[in-house]
Amino acid sequence: MLHYYTLNEGTWRATTRWPVTGTRTERLYLADGNALTRQRPSATAAGPDADLLRLSPTAGTGPSDRWNTNLSGAPVSYPDRAAVDRELLSYDSPPVRQDTRVTGLGRVTLDVTGISGASDGALHVYLEHVAPDGRVTYLTEGQLALADRATTSRRENPDWRRLRTARGYTSTDAAPFPQGRPRQVTLDLQPTSVLFRAGDRIRLTIAAANPDSFELRPADGRAAYTIGHGAVRPSFVELPVVG
């Protein structure tokens, strides 16, 4: 039996199935104009098909995030992230037309090209809620040291581990991230449950560091990437939508 709480709804639920009954996967693509859309990018779309991401050594999740309070037991607090997101790379959906409940394990797939400092780099992704008044609330996240991007077979993902995206995290699999050549990178999101009410927006924010809770990669804090969103190698977030 699993008990879970739905943010923005104030409701506890219980389930014996995970994903919960009635879950479907909804894919939102990164698009021109820092948009999230259900429509896969077209080869005829106008505008650039990649956006620049620079490592910001100051834009983190704060001293009271889920990581810093994990051992202390102090209250978890995520202030409005609108200002922080302006230092990062964000993509917003249109306002949702009807109440939408996201519950479970999301996943983000990005078309990444290293520009500088990428060989020992890292990526952090944040799923966020944007209220009609512009307030931005953290929901969940995923992070990956790019040297550990290699995936493995389902056979090597035993029940006691059961990673959504199977990885061995072994030294033999680790490899510096190439520069100047696009690579597809998949990051799993921590599980969450949240209600997006009609009029809210779904935001995906991408960062190259979280200096409040993780070591900088590379250590000098200087890295740059492009995140592609073209027709050949689209970038997207997959969300588990219930009902």
Side-chain angles (χ1 to χ4, degrees), residues 96 114 133 198 211:
V96 299
D133 64 2

PDB file of all heavy atoms in Angstrom, residues 96 114 133 198 211:
ATOM      1  N   VAL A  96      -3.426  25.381 -18.913  1.00  0.00           N
ATOM      2  CA  VAL A  96      -4.176  24.135 -19.085  1.00  0.00           C
ATOM      3  C   VAL A  96      -5.665  24.462 -19.122  1.00  0.00           C
ATOM      4  O   VAL A  96      -6.153  25.353 -18.419  1.00  0.00           O
ATOM      5  CB  VAL A  96      -3.845  23.107 -17.985  1.00  0.00           C
ATOM      6  CG1 VAL A  96      -2.359  22.745 -18.026  1.00  0.00           C
ATOM      7  CG2 VAL A  96      -4.222  23.637 -16.607  1.00  0.00           C
ATOM      8  N   GLY A 114      27.405  19.928 -26.034  1.00  0.00           N
ATOM      9  CA  GLY A 114      28.354  20.623 -25.181  1.00  0.00           C
ATOM     10  C   GLY A 114      29.094  21.705 -25.960  1.00  0.00           C
ATOM     11  O   GLY A 114      29.620  21.447 -27.044  1.00  0.00           O
ATOM     12  N   ASP A 133      -1.000  34.358 -11.640  1.00  0.00           N
ATOM     13  CA  ASP A 133      -0.385  35.628 -11.239  1.00  0.00           C
ATOM     14  C   ASP A 133       1.124  35.650 -11.455  1.00  0.00           C
ATOM     15  O   ASP A 133       1.795  36.630 -11.115  1.00  0.00           O
ATOM     16  CB  ASP A 133      -0.703  35.944  -9.777  1.00  0.00           C
ATOM     17  CG  ASP A 133      -0.102  34.931  -8.795  1.00  0.00           C
ATOM     18  OD1 ASP A 133       0.597  33.998  -9.237  1.00  0.00           O
ATOM     19  OD2 ASP A 133      -0.332  35.077  -7.577  1.00  0.00           O
ATOM     20  N   ALA A 198      -7.219  24.594 -14.014  1.00  0.00           N
ATOM     21  CA  ALA A 198      -7.452  25.311 -15.268  1.00  0.00           C
ATOM     22  C   ALA A 198      -6.902  26.729 -15.153  1.00  0.00           C
ATOM     23  O   ALA A 198      -7.184  27.439 -14.188  1.00  0.00           O
ATOM     24  CB  ALA A 198      -8.937  25.330 -15.586  1.00  0.00           C
ATOM     25  N   PRO A 211      23.930  25.000  -7.115  1.00  0.00           N
ATOM     26  CA  PRO A 211      25.030  25.271  -6.192  1.00  0.00           C
ATOM     27  C   PRO A 211      24.642  25.192  -4.723  1.00  0.00           C
ATOM     28  O   PRO A 211      25.528  25.111  -3.870  1.00  0.00           O
ATOM     29  CB  PRO A 211      25.462  26.693  -6.578  1.00  0.00           C
ATOM     30  CG  PRO A 211      24.247  27.305  -7.195  1.00  0.00           C
ATOM     31  CD  PRO A 211      23.561  26.185  -7.912  1.00  0.00           C
TER      32      PRO A 211
END
